[in-house]
Amino acid sequence: GGIAFSQKLLLKLVDKGLLRDDAYIIVQSIAMDVFKNNGDFKESVKNDERVNKYLSKEEIESIFNAEDYLKNVDYIFRRVLENK
């Protein structure tokens, strides 16, 4: 359901000035609801007033960009294969 993006959301909220503990409570509550109800994390984040108070729709969209997680895949595989 997209919960893999929860860390990026947490860090973005902290960057916006929330205390880490407060950001954690928000992210954890959304993630647990999504997990328990087989929901969609991105949609839940987009509809959460606590998140919308700090992040624009564009900022939320950028959090869910999988390219950030994949940008070094080729480099990682080259390193692994070189060390065999």
Side-chain angles (χ1 to χ4, degrees):
I3 294 175
F5 294 96
S6 62
Q7 181 180 12
K8 283 179 73 175
L9 174 60
L10 174 78
L11 294 175
K12 190 69 163 178
L13 289 170
V14 170
D15 285 345
K16 289 293 186 164
L18 266 75
L19 295 175
R20 186 175 183 86
D21 289 343
D22 294 337
Y24 180 81
I25 289 168
I26 293 170
V27 174
Q28 183 185 41
S29 69
I30 298 169
M32 291 302 292
D33 182 61
V34 167
F35 182 74
K36 288 178 183 177
N37 297 306
N38 200 26
D40 184 283
F41 188 66
K42 182 178 180 181
E43 288 304 311
S44 295
V45 168
K46 288 166 68 174
N47 294 320
D48 192 285
E49 290 183 24
R50 299 167 297 177
V51 174
N52 290 318
K53 182 176 173 183
Y54 295 95
L55 302 177
S56 68
K57 296 292 182 196
E58 293 80 18
E59 289 171 316
I60 293 170
E61 285 295 328
S62 73
I63 290 168
F64 291 89
N65 179 1
E67 291 296 318
D68 291 340
Y69 289 108
L70 302 174
K71 65 184 175 187
N72 292 316
V73 168
D74 291 338
Y75 172 75
I76 293 167
F77 277 114
R78 274 196 309 276
R79 292 280 313 266
V80 168
L81 294 174
E82 289 173 359
N83 293 321
K84 281 193 153 194

